[in-house]
Structure formats: C-alpha cells, structure tokens
Amino acid sequence: MSNTADAPEKAGSSRYIIADRPGFRLGALLGRWESLLALLLVAAFAANAIMLPHFLDLYNLADGTFNFSEKALIALPMALLIICREIDISVSGILALSSVAIGLAHTSGVAPELLLPIALATGTACGWLNGIMVTRFRLPSIVVTIGTVSLFRGLASVVLGDKAFTGYPQVMADWGQGYFFGFIPREFIILLVFAALFAVMLHATTWGRRIYAIGNNPVAARFSGIAVDRYRLVLFMLTGAMAGLAAYLLTGRIGSTRPNIAMGWELEVITMVILGGVSIAGGAGTIGGVMLAVLTLGTVTYGLSLANIPGIYMTIVVGILLLATIALPRLLRGRRTAK
C-alpha cells in the first residue's frame, strides 16, 4: 500500500499546486533580493519627493544620473568578476592612469577620435596585468589589486605632479556632458545599453552559464572542460576596458585630469555590486539587481545633494550599506541553521 503522504506528489506534486496560488507567487516574488531592492528604491524615491520640493523636476532627475553613470559602467564587469570569486580593487587607479594617458596623447597632438581607443587600450592593459598575476602566478586577486591600485595611481601622480591636463577636445565634452533629445544625458544612455548587453551575456548565453559554474565550483568547472583561467583573465581585461571607458567619459565631463580623479571609487563600485545581490562568495547575482542598486544609491545621493548634506555623509552611508549587505545574509542563514 502506498503512503498517502506521497500521493499528492505522485499525482502532480503538491509543490506545483501551491505554486499556482497567487499568494505563493507573491511570497516568492517578495522573497527575491531584487524585489526588496525595488521596494527600497521606491521608498527612497518617495521619501525624497515628500521632503525635497525640487526632487521631481525632470531636468534635475536627469542631471542626477551624472553622479553614478561612470561608476555603474565599472560595476557591470565587476559583478561578473565577483560572481567568478574574484575582485578588482584597482579600478579607480586604472581610471586615473587611463585619464592620464588621454591627457598625454592629447598634449602630444593625437587626433581627438583616437583618445577613446587610447583610454580603452590603457584600461585593458592594466586589467591584463591584474589577470596575469592572478591566473599565471596564482596570487589572490584582492592582494594583487590592492597593490596595483597604488601602482597605477602612483604612475598617474608621477606623470602629473602638481599639474593637470586641461583643454580637451569638444567631442569629449559632448559625450561626457551632452544630452540626447535635449534632456537625457548621453552617459546614462550608454549605461543602459551596456547594462542590456551584460544582462544578455550573463543570463542568456553559454558564456554566462560558465561564469556561474566557475563561481559555484571552479574545480568542478575546470574538470568539466571550462577554461577557468582564460575566463578570469578576460573578465579582468573587460573590467579594465570599462574603467578606461569611464575615464574617457569622466574626463570629458569635468574637462580635466587631476591626480585625485576618481579617488575612492572602488568602494562605491563594489557596494553597488554587493548591494545588488551579487554574492561575495561567488556563483550568484544578476545584472538587474546591480542596476537596481545603482539607481537606489543614485537616488539617495541625489537627495542628499539637494538637501545640501556634505559628501562625507554619503561615504558613511555607503560603508554602512556595504557592511549590512555582506553581514545580513550570513546572519539570516545562521538563524535558520540554529532553528
């Protein structure tokens, strides 16, 4: 005689019957990290709209995207790196060195249309160095990139000294400060295009599935025939290239290259990724979650700036969010284990 407890599952599984109920679907939806982020974004937006009279001005909202677009461009490949159990602390140094390379090329008379390729090449070369140190010499990526951020920024500071590169061509200002349709910043459109490309690559291709496999178990991925080191090297180079693109846009937006350009950006970029639900242990995360985190942090930053709150307080907020998003899942997992 069969066990009656097993009957529903044999008949079609009670799990699927429950899943058809609207309440269950709502609970599953709200249990997703991305859903919680969306609620947090709505709450931050509503609070700012209530407390700040000029918050909902469309032109101000559009201009507010300048505060995070370049950082978010770096956060996209950083998410893939962290999913692969790696990290790049050197992105702000890569950006600084790429900006210096643009300045040197411009002062040497290089054509304006070649400045973007120079920035991308410089960033890619820096990423290649990071990747080689990690994959060829088996050094921890966090140690390597802590060292190279000092190397890259040090080289930029040596070249600049106490000077600055200025007088960049108009084409850089057009991309760094310009608008589409009169009010949508070009940088934000570029960010949306790259977010879509990264989302397709990670979630709809074999390449993306292999990235998840490497993050979940690199040894098993290697035995299954995945070229783990090659993927890691490419991701470091991709992260460097995106930092080079960010350098081009940022340099065009502010119109100069200075030794302290993008100082401390690595913390904000990593916070965007971790707050977006990418596991620091690797193997989990989505581009959609990262973009929700970008918009949430951007909304909070924009509100603080409208309220004339000093930028140092934003640094405190970023630090708290980073600690909370790393510690909270572990605390919840510990409570479930205790039960």
Side-chain angles (χ1 to χ4, degrees), residues 7 42 46 54 73 88-89 91 101 175 177 284 306:
V42 171
H54 301 293
L73 283 170
D88 190 346
I89 307 293
V91 287
W175 283 104
Q177 306 171 9
L306 280 183

Side-chain angles (χ1 to χ4, degrees), residues 89-335:
I89 307 293
S90 70
V91 287
S92 65
I94 295 175
L95 192 155
L97 191 58
S98 298
S99 183
V100 168
I102 294 172
L104 285 173
H106 175 61
T107 55
S108 300
V110 173
E113 57 269 17
L114 295 179
L115 297 181
L116 176 58
I118 287 171
L120 295 175
T122 302
T124 303
C126 293
W128 177 84
L129 177 61
N130 286 335
I132 286 295
M133 296 289 285
V134 172
T135 59
R136 186 69 59 84
F137 297 100
R138 307 297 177 189
L139 300 174
S141 58
I142 189 168
V143 175
V144 169
T145 55
I146 286 174
T148 54
V149 68
S150 299
L151 170 64
F152 300 148
R153 192 168 287 280
L155 288 172
S157 298
V158 167
V159 172
L160 283 171
D162 57 353
K163 302 176 183 178
F165 289 126
T166 57
Y168 287 107
Q170 183 60 37
V171 65
M172 289 184 63
D174 290 341
W175 283 104
Q177 306 171 9
Y179 297 84
F180 286 121
F181 312 113
F183 75 97
I184 303 178
R186 290 188 178 188
E187 286 191 352
F188 187 61
I189 297 299
I190 293 171
L191 169 62
L192 295 180
V193 170
F194 273 101
L197 291 174
F198 273 84
V200 170
M201 179 177 63
L202 181 62
H203 303 299
T205 66
T206 301
W207 211 81
R209 289 192 291 273
R210 288 176 176 175
I211 289 175
Y212 281 117
I214 293 170
N216 280 303
N217 193 327
V219 175
R222 186 174 284 109
F223 277 110
S224 67
I226 298 174
V228 173
D229 287 343
R230 186 182 305 166
Y231 275 81
R232 286 173 171 165
L233 177 60
V234 169
L235 289 179
F236 275 108
M237 294 172 67
L238 181 60
T239 303
M242 292 299 287
L245 174 60
Y248 181 85
L249 295 173
L250 178 62
T251 305
R253 179 163 67 87
I254 64 177
S256 66
T257 299
R258 301 182 184 279
N260 63 344
I261 188 171
M263 185 73 76
W265 274 27
E266 63 276 359
L267 174 62
E268 295 185 53
V269 169
I270 293 170
T271 301
M272 289 175 177
V273 175
I274 303 303
L275 180 61
V278 176
S279 172
I280 195 67
T286 65
I287 296 298
V290 173
M291 287 302 295
L292 282 171
V294 165
L295 294 174
T296 301
L297 284 173
T299 300
V300 173
T301 305
Y302 173 53
L304 290 175
S305 64
L306 280 183
N308 293 320
I309 295 176
I312 188 63
Y313 289 101
M314 187 59 208
T315 304
I316 296 173
V317 171
V318 168
I320 292 173
L321 285 174
L322 182 57
L323 289 173
T325 50
I326 292 175
L328 187 59
R330 293 179 179 272
L331 292 174
L332 293 176
R333 209 162 38 238
R335 288 185 62 183

